[in-house]
Every structure is written in structure tokens, then in C-alpha cells.
Amino acid sequence: MKKFKEIFQNRNYLRLFLAHFTSQLGSTIGLTAFMFYLLDRFSDQPAYASITELMYSLPTLAVFFIVGVLADRMDRQKIAYYCDWISALLSLTLMVTIYLGWMPLIFAVLFLRSAVQKFFYPAEHGMVQGILKKDDYTTAAGLNQLVMSLFMLFGNGFGIFAYWTVGVYGALVIDVLSFLISALLIRACKIDDIVKMPNGKHRIKDLSRKMMLDDFKSGFFYILKNKLLRTLLIGFFVFGVVNGGFSVMPVFMLKYKLAPELYEQFSIIIGVVFGTGIIIGSFIASVLSQRIKLYQLIIYGLIVTGGFVICSSVPNNLIWFMVIIFISSIGLPLINIGIGGWMPSIVDPKMMGRVQGLITPLMMLSQSLTLGFITITFPKLLSIEALYWLVGSCLIIVGIFYLCTLPKYSSEHEQSSMISEAKETGS
């Protein structure tokens, strides 16, 4: 708690943290309400729910080429600020398209809104890396995990509650207000130019196609040459599979197996159970991160969580399902805090935007493929139990892969860093 208090004394970080929270709020409530709106209106077509989630992940593949380049070449603060404003306008547009009721147009606007939001996070992460000390990275990762926990705990609940009380239109109004608050918080930050523009000042007209292609290549080869980053990247692909599965699996488990008549109400309870486990796991991971190496934290989290995800496919009783889901959720923060605390310390600040710009689309590609796979195969070819086996197995396989590779590459990276620091000191 002392470390959390210290990091919040950094006013710029506090504003960015709150901006991240409110922007995430704007991304979550309306989308959740809309998914339940579709499940109500088209209950015999579960594919619409998967397509809604697909419209959140698929746009990354359309913009990944320029997201990281812009975050490294342009003013990161302005990128985040304008992303929020444009997202607010697109949320208003989405309200109009839902009123018109033409599904292709609705999904097109969802696609555009999601595409704009993909520019926010590389810019925000780059600023956070620049305004914090190296010792604070793991603490910041823990706080980000707590934000994720709160959304797991309350996100679906807020979305469903908004849908019940003010409808899908009211939920989207909340989205609009959340994006606007985030934009104002971003604008209030006082950040040095070297943090906002680590590669110097550029204008849009300076970004020729050749420069953007060269920057993209440099980011790609930067990852390929770094064994540690390259290995982590393989895991990120599988994490996308996990994210894609978890975005719809709990709702499907409730609606089509455990609580068909009361799935909306129990979705809130499942969210509370899962989020509570994440919060507890976040505190456990924060303590463990001070005592063991971060790659050990990641490996333990992957194997334990994967095992319990598989086990959660077994119960036919709702109580036992929630117990196992609760236990599995405790292991997730070990993975997220381990990776989130590690990445800023191994990535050059001048390359952070491009690295994030490549990691995110890789995850979203696998997430989109997973959602597409679920859309086609569930429930005709695959049962809900099979989906849980698929996701749990992916986590365990990555855990074993990391167990065989990360200790070696981590040691090599530490030695290389010590040699580089010694050379800089000598010069």
C-alpha cells in the first residue's frame, strides 16, 4: 500500500491512471449492454454476441501498421486526447445506428470506434513509461491489474444494470461521458516533450509512407533480435485465444447450460466472483513480485490458471462452477503483473509504441480468430465444455513453454544490460 501511495503522488501518473480507467469504462459499459440487447432481441442467434466482441478485436488488424509508429513519432498526449473525443462522437453515432436497426451499419460503427481506441493505449503506455522510475513499473502494473479487476468485478454488472435501467441508449450516453472525462484528464497532464515525443517533433505531413514502413520494420526487427521479447510475443498470441474465449464463454455457460432462464442475473454474480478473485490475486501477485523473479510469477500463473479453467468445464452445479472460476481467477494477476512489470524495463522508450503496436494486433488476431472459430463451431460442432478445455490447455502449454525458455533468456538479458551500463559508465 505504501508503494501505491507513493506512485499516486506523481500527479501526471494519477491523471493518466484515471484517464485509462474512464476510457476503459467508456469501452466496456455500452458494449456489454449492447451484447445483452442482442441476446435478448436475437436469442436464437448467439453468433451476434460473438460478432459484437469480434468488432472490438478485429479493427486492430486494420490499423496495427500505423498505431505504434504514430505513438513513437507523434505527440502521445494529443493522440490519447483525440482518441477519446472521436470515440465519444462515434458512441453518439452508434446510438443513431441502433435506432435505425440495420445490423451491418451498427457493426461498422462498432468497428470504427474500436479502431480509434486502439491508438489510445500505445500512446498512454509510452507516457506512463516515461514519467515513472524503473522501480515503479511493477507497482504500476499492479494498479493496472486492479483496474482490470474492477471491470471484471463491476464491468458486466454496470453494463447489465445500465441496460436494465436506462436501456442500451442510456448505456451509450455513459460511454460518451466517460470518454469526455478521460479526454479532459489527458489534457490536464503536464508532460515533458521528451516523454511525449521521444523521437523528436514530427507533423502528420512528415510521415511519408516510406518512413512509416521503415519504422514498422525497425520495430519488427527490434523484437526479433531480442530473444526475450520474441519469446514473450509467442505467448501473447495464445493470450489472445484466452481473451477471445473468456469474452463469451461465461455468458454461454450460463445461458446454454447452468442458468438458461436467469443468465443475465447470474452474469453479474459471476462477474463479482471473478473480479473478487482477481483483486485477491492482485495483492498476492504484488507481494510475490518482491520475493520471486517475474518470469516465475508468469509461469506459476499460467499453469495454475490453465488447470482450473479446464476443471471449470466439469460442474453441472452453478455453485461449484463459481468456486472453480474464483480459484482460477486468482492466478490471472500473476501473469498480468509479471508481464506488465517486466515489459517497460526491457523495452527502449523510443520503441515502446512500436512494440505495443505489434503485440496488441498479434493478440487481437488470435482473439478474432478464436471468436470467429466460436461463431462457426458453437454449438453445432463444439460444446461449451470443449471451449473451456481449449482455453485451459492453451494456458498450460504456454506455461510449459515459458518454463523451458524464460529463465535462460532472462539471464542473458540481465548480463547484456549490465555490460551496456558498464560501457556507458566507462564512457
Side-chain angles (χ1 to χ4, degrees):
M1 293 303 293
K2 183 180 178 182
K3 290 289 290 181
F4 288 168
K5 183 179 179 181
E6 289 176 359
I7 200 173
F8 276 134
Q9 289 175 349
N10 183 327
R11 294 298 178 186
N12 280 326
Y13 176 77
L14 177 60
R15 293 185 185 105
L16 286 176
F17 175 81
L18 293 174
H20 184 156
F21 179 86
T22 51
S23 186
Q24 184 70 30
L25 188 69
S27 303
T28 302
I29 289 183
L31 191 68
T32 303
F34 180 65
M35 184 171 72
F36 280 90
Y37 166 78
L38 290 178
L39 285 171
D40 271 352
R41 187 173 176 183
F42 306 100
S43 59
D44 58 339
Q45 299 183 57
Y48 276 164
S50 299
I51 293 171
T52 299
E53 291 292 339
L54 196 59
M55 290 303 101
Y56 180 76
S57 58
L58 193 60
T60 305
L61 306 179
V63 299
F64 79 95
F65 181 77
I66 59 174
V67 165
V69 175
L70 287 181
D72 284 340
R73 289 289 183 180
M74 303 297 293
D75 189 320
R76 290 170 172 172
Q77 187 174 11
K78 288 184 178 180
I79 290 174
Y81 174 73
Y82 286 120
C83 280
D84 281 330
W85 268 103
I86 296 171
S87 296
L89 292 174
L90 287 171
S91 294
L92 289 172
T93 306
L94 184 59
M95 294 169 65
V96 176
T97 60
I98 292 173
Y99 177 77
L100 294 175
W102 190 36
M103 295 307 296
L105 185 59
I106 292 171
F107 287 131
V109 175
L110 277 174
F111 183 94
L112 283 175
R113 192 182 79 155
S114 180
V116 170
Q117 290 172 291
K118 302 311 176 192
F119 289 85
F120 180 91
Y121 296 107
E124 187 261 347
H125 287 325
M127 288 189 288
V128 168
Q129 184 191 28
I131 64 176
L132 292 180
K133 297 179 292 186
K134 192 172 183 179
D135 293 342
D136 292 330
Y137 291 153
T138 303
T139 304
L143 285 168
N144 284 338
Q145 181 61 59
L146 283 174
V147 170
M148 183 186 296
S149 307
L150 290 171
F151 279 104
M152 288 181 177
L153 186 58
F154 299 117
N156 278 350
F158 281 153
I160 297 169
F161 181 75
Y163 176 55
W164 285 346
T165 54
V166 293
V168 68
Y169 298 108
L172 287 169
V173 169
I174 296 172
D175 278 11
V176 172
L177 295 175
S178 299
F179 285 128
L180 294 179
I181 292 170
S182 178
L184 294 174
L185 286 166
I186 292 288
R187 188 175 183 179
C189 292
K190 296 177 175 60
I191 299 175
D192 294 336
D193 286 348
I194 190 62
V195 174
K196 294 191 294 184
M197 298 171 284
N199 293 289
K201 189 173 183 179
H202 293 86
R203 293 173 296 181
I204 288 289
K205 67 179 183 180
D206 297 330
L207 302 181
S208 64
R209 184 178 300 178
K210 183 178 183 303
M211 174 189 282
M212 296 181 73
L213 181 61
D214 289 343
D215 277 5
F216 177 79
K217 286 181 179 178
S218 66
F220 182 74
F221 286 112
Y222 176 78
I223 292 174
L224 284 184
K225 291 176 182 177
N226 188 316
K227 293 180 181 178
L228 190 53
L229 275 178
R230 191 175 65 220
T231 304
L232 287 173
L233 205 65
I234 296 171
F236 278 116
F237 183 85
V238 179
F239 298 156
V241 174
V242 175
N243 291 341
F246 267 116
S247 65
V248 294
M249 286 192 326
V251 176
F252 287 175
M253 176 66 89
L254 293 172
K255 182 172 176 62
Y256 298 105
K257 181 180 179 180
L258 297 178
E261 302 300 324
L262 299 170
Y263 75 97
E264 292 180 347
Q265 291 87 336
F266 280 114
S267 291
I268 298 175
I269 297 173
I270 290 291
V272 170
V273 169
F274 200 79
T276 302
I278 292 285
I279 290 176
I280 293 171
S282 298
F283 286 109
I284 294 173
S286 297
V287 173
L288 288 177
S289 67
Q290 307 300 318
R291 291 173 168 77
I292 64 176
K293 293 184 179 294
L294 292 178
Y295 66 77
Q296 294 174 319
L297 202 65
I298 298 167
I299 293 167
Y300 296 152
L302 285 165
I303 294 175
V304 170
T305 304
F308 279 102
V309 168
I310 291 175
C311 290
S312 64
S313 68
V314 177
N316 290 314
N317 179 283
L318 189 57
I319 300 298
W320 278 111
F321 175 71
M322 288 193 286
V323 169
I324 298 173
I325 282 290
F326 173 77
I327 297 171
S328 67
S329 66
I330 293 175
L332 281 174
L334 276 66
I335 308 168
N336 294 327
I337 290 177
I339 293 177
W342 206 7
M343 287 289 289
S345 63
I346 62 178
V347 177
D348 186 334
K350 294 183 178 180
M351 303 295 293
M352 179 56 85
R354 276 163 282 185
V355 170
Q356 286 289 340
L358 284 166
I359 287 174
T360 304
L362 186 67
M363 288 182 63
M364 289 301 179
L365 171 62
S366 58
Q367 183 171 333
S368 300
L369 290 173
T370 302
L371 286 167
F373 177 75
I374 292 173
T375 301
I376 294 170
T377 60
F378 177 81
K380 294 179 181 178
L381 301 177
L382 282 183
S383 65
I384 186 63
E385 292 86 357
L387 295 180
Y388 276 87
W389 272 84
L390 174 67
V391 170
S393 299
C394 285
L395 286 167
I396 293 173
I397 290 169
V398 176
I400 295 171
F401 172 69
Y402 278 177
L403 180 64
C404 298
T405 56
L406 287 186
K408 176 185 175 182
Y409 292 151
S410 176
S411 177
E412 290 178 359
H413 179 78
E414 288 176 3
Q415 292 176 4
S416 176
S417 298
M418 290 173 63
I419 293 171
S420 298
E421 289 177 6
K423 286 181 180 179
E424 290 177 4
T425 304
S427 60

